[in-house]
Amino acid sequence: MSQTMLTVGLPIALAWMMFCVGLTLTVADFKRVSEFPGKVAAGLSAQLIGLPIIAYCLIQLFNLPEVVAVGLWILALAPGGASSNAICHLCGGDSALSITMTAISSLIIPFSLPLMLPFVLSDVSAIIPVKTAIMQLIAVTLVPVLLGMTFKRFCTSAGFERFAQFAGRTALWALFFTVAITLAANTKVFNQLFSVASIAVLLLCVLGMALGVAVAKGLGGDATLSKTLSIEVGIQNAGTAIFVAVVQLNQPQLALTPLLYGILMNIPAIILIVMSRRKAVSHAEY
């Protein structure tokens, strides 16, 4: 039963999360790149290149066990997701830029992730061919996003608006579902690796957020840009990482690091939201 949930339930949950992302996107979100190409390019470079470099440095610095190291690497290669867009909105970031970066990374990751996996998992091509990995990722990430965008484009009734709001709320529950079933199938190993994996994922998240802030400062951006890039670079889609580990690689133990990330990433995210709201309240008082 647990294996069926992992191999069937996970892809469905991830596809639903990506469909929910698509419901928030329009073609204009992609066209918007022309309005601030420098910000988008810098942010995506930090996410797609800078974050993997941070992950690789953490793997070498702490000499992480292979199961933790590979899980961290998969996580660093994952895209952003609906959670990053929601967090960006709650902390007063640039939602348009956040959604644009999510949209573009969702297009790139299905191709870049399988190609970069061998840097840490050398025998990945023997486990799953790159072309197959790309097609699977397209099926559970890119296709649902495009389908969600199509629904948003052609369904404009009040009933659809209510459905879109409902879908947005259920996206986080879908993430919790992926975390729960992966945890249920790997409880023993999870307990053994909790300490080192927890430190690794928290550092990846915090250092990724710091990189986003540094990039924003380098662009001469304001606090809004800093918050946006910190979230987009530091907050990854744990669901995609869990899918790659469990379904594509058929190694559920590799999902433990993304699993922990899905839980612990909320700590710096909540801190950022609380700080941003307190600052907004204090400014309003003056």
Side-chain angles (χ1 to χ4, degrees), residues 12-26 29 80-83 85-86 99 102-103 106 140-152 160 162-175 237:
I12 293 175
L14 178 58
W16 177 253
M17 285 189 286
M18 299 311 295
F19 174 76
C20 293
V21 170
L23 289 176
T24 68
L25 301 175
T26 64
D29 292 319
S83 56
N85 301 149
I99 292 173
T102 295
S106 296
V140 300
T141 59
L142 185 54
V143 171
V145 167
L146 295 177
L147 186 61
M149 291 178 64
T150 302
F151 270 71
K152 181 179 177 66
F160 175 77
R162 290 193 295 270
F163 167 75
Q165 293 175 5
F166 165 77
R169 291 193 295 269
T170 62
L172 289 178
W173 285 107
L175 176 59
N237 190 331

Side-chain angles (χ1 to χ4, degrees), residues 84-278:
S84 65
N85 301 149
I87 293 168
C88 183
H89 173 73
L90 290 172
C91 74
D94 186 337
S95 295
L97 177 58
S98 174
I99 292 173
T100 299
M101 288 183 61
T102 295
I104 297 176
S105 68
S106 296
L107 295 178
I108 295 174
I109 293 299
F111 303 95
S112 64
L113 194 153
L115 294 175
M116 294 181 69
L117 270 180
F119 282 96
V120 171
L121 189 60
S122 58
D123 60 345
V124 66
S125 59
I127 300 173
I128 179 171
V130 171
K131 289 183 179 179
T132 302
I134 290 174
M135 293 305 296
Q136 287 179 332
L137 282 169
I138 288 175
V140 300
T141 59
L142 185 54
V143 171
V145 167
L146 295 177
L147 186 61
M149 291 178 64
T150 302
F151 270 71
K152 181 179 177 66
R153 171 67 178 82
F154 294 103
C155 299
T156 57
S157 65
F160 175 77
E161 288 299 323
R162 290 193 295 270
F163 167 75
Q165 293 175 5
F166 165 77
R169 291 193 295 269
T170 62
L172 289 178
W173 285 107
L175 176 59
F176 294 152
F177 173 77
T178 64
V179 169
I181 62 175
T182 307
L183 175 58
N186 298 278
T187 305
K188 293 182 180 178
V189 183
F190 174 82
N191 290 333
Q192 294 172 1
L193 297 177
F194 186 86
S195 179
V196 64
S198 295
I199 294 172
V201 298
L202 274 174
L203 281 174
L204 181 69
C205 183
V206 172
L207 291 176
M209 295 177 79
L211 175 61
V213 172
V215 170
K217 296 296 183 183
L219 294 173
D222 55 13
T224 299
L225 181 62
S226 294
K227 286 185 286 189
T228 304
L229 293 189
S230 70
I231 293 165
E232 285 302 312
V233 176
I235 303 297
Q236 297 292 89
N237 190 331
T240 299
I242 292 173
F243 169 79
V244 171
V246 175
V247 178
Q248 293 195 304
L249 300 178
N250 196 27
Q251 298 186 46
Q253 69 276 14
L254 298 180
L256 297 175
T257 306
L259 164 65
L260 277 172
Y261 180 87
I263 298 171
L264 297 177
M265 73 175 187
N266 293 291
I267 296 175
I270 290 173
I271 291 174
L272 182 59
I273 292 171
V274 171
M275 290 176 59
S276 298
R277 293 201 165 188
R278 283 183 176 177

Side-chain angles (χ1 to χ4, degrees), residues 63-75:
N63 192 25
L64 295 175
E66 182 178 12
V67 67
V68 178
V70 175
L72 192 72
W73 184 244
I74 295 173
L75 183 61

